[in-house]
Structure formats: C-alpha cells, structure tokens
Amino acid sequence: AGVAPTFAAAAAGGSMQFISTVEASSSATIAITFTPGDADTFKIFCEGVVPASDDVTLQMEFSTDGGSSYYSSDYQSDSVGRHSGTTVAGLNDALTIGRIGSDSAGEEVGSTTGEHLNAEISIHNPSDTALFSMVSGHLVAMKDAANNIQYHFVLNHGTAGDIDAVRFSFTSGNIESGRFTLHKITHS
C-alpha cells in the first residue's frame, strides 16, 4: 500500500542534436570543429569509412584553438576488442597522435572491396579546462571478407584543457570515403 510516486515534467534539453556532417573523398584528414560550451558531450559517428591504403589504423588528434594546431605528443590509447574470435588488447603511451583501436599487425582496417569501419565516439567534458581531454567509443571494422574487428577504446591527452576540434587520419594513406557526423548532448 502507499502512494504512487509523482515525477516532474521533463526539462528542456537532454537530447542528442545534429550539428554537422563531413564527407571524406580521398581526404588526407577530416577536421571537425565545435564550441565546447555548447554541450556536455559531443558524439561523432564515423560511417562507411574506407581507407585508401590497406592494413591501417584510424587516428584522432585534439585541438584547443579551433583546429589551427593539434597536440603532437602525449596521447594515450587503451583498447580491448576481438578480431575474428580472438581477444586483443592494446595500450599505447606517449603517442604523437592518438590511435583508435589497435595498430598491431593483422588487426588493422582493410581497403579492398567491402572493407570499411564504423565508429561511435564520445568527447567527454569538452569545456572543462581542469580535466584531461578524453574520448571513448566503439569501433567495428571489416579487415577482409572473413575477418571482422571490434574495439572499445579510450583515448586521452595528458594536458588539461578544453577540446574544440578533432582531426581524423589513417596511419598511412588518405581517407578514401566515409561520413563523419557530429551531434551534441546537453543535460539541461
């Protein structure tokens, strides 16, 4: 017995909102800029991303000046995943550029017909200058027709500061094609 609980009406905000999309077309890099104070979390969806070169790893860099420059050292990448039924893990310290997934031989993304990657990336606390820059996410890819790859990853930079731009590239070659879509999430 008792009284059923009552709930306040939902406040404005709290939803995911589309901001922009960038399409790759034989691009050396894909840069995405945003205003850190506009959201509590930013999400980037990478869809149908195909490298121009075979056996490569997706990379991501952070900027605090709108993309005029990017950190060139002190990234740390931590990932765990599966490659065709085998558990794989990677931890890379003191990188000059952030790695998403693994760059171990045989665990990279392929570039032949049908091979590609998709990823969902969260940029956490983008405007908090007291915290280290950090992203997390999930990547799935086709290595070849018989081997798929999936990773959960965390990537951070060892300097506290806001993030207002990110840049993607591969360890070798261009980004042949794919879509990079930015959304924002606000909690109020």
Side-chain angles (χ1 to χ4, degrees):
V3 178
T6 59
F7 298 94
S15 64
M16 188 174 341
Q17 298 174 340
F18 169 81
I19 298 175
S20 64
T21 295
V22 178
E23 295 273 349
S25 178
S26 296
S27 309
T29 63
I30 293 291
I32 299 173
T33 60
F34 45 88
T35 305
D38 283 356
D40 299 299
T41 303
F42 286 96
K43 296 283 257 185
I44 299 173
F45 294 91
C46 307
E47 297 172 306
V49 178
V50 178
S53 300
D54 202 26
D55 298 328
V56 293
T57 300
L58 186 65
Q59 303 177 125
M60 182 178 186
E61 299 169 273
F62 302 154
S63 175
T64 61
D65 61 7
S68 295
S69 64
Y70 291 84
Y71 290 127
S72 60
S73 64
D74 208 19
Y75 289 95
Q76 178 180 333
S77 173
D78 190 4
S79 62
V80 63
R82 296 199 45 92
H83 171 222
S84 300
T86 302
T87 301
V88 292
L91 175 61
N92 297 296
D93 290 315
L95 297 168
T96 58
I97 192 168
R99 302 276 170 86
I100 295 178
S102 174
D103 56 357
S104 297
E107 297 169 12
E108 306 95 343
V109 179
S111 64
T112 58
T113 302
E115 298 172 359
H116 67 285
L117 70 81
N118 297 293
E120 180 179 334
I121 301 168
S122 298
I123 302 171
H124 304 284
N125 310 303
S127 63
D128 195 331
T129 58
L131 300 176
F132 294 134
S133 304
M134 180 177 284
V135 303
S136 66
H138 186 157
L139 176 140
V140 293
M142 290 303 299
K143 163 72 176 154
D144 53 47
N147 294 292
N148 51 5
I149 301 168
Q150 65 96 9
Y151 283 102
H152 291 281
F153 62 87
V154 175
L155 173 63
N156 71 11
H157 188 268
T159 301
D162 66 345
I163 302 173
D164 59 11
V166 295
R167 181 169 64 186
F168 294 94
S169 62
F170 279 111
T171 48
S172 177
N174 288 343
I175 303 170
E176 186 64 32
S177 61
R179 182 174 51 233
F180 296 76
T181 305
L182 177 67
H183 291 79
K184 68 179 182 178
I185 299 172
T186 55
H187 296 172
S188 61

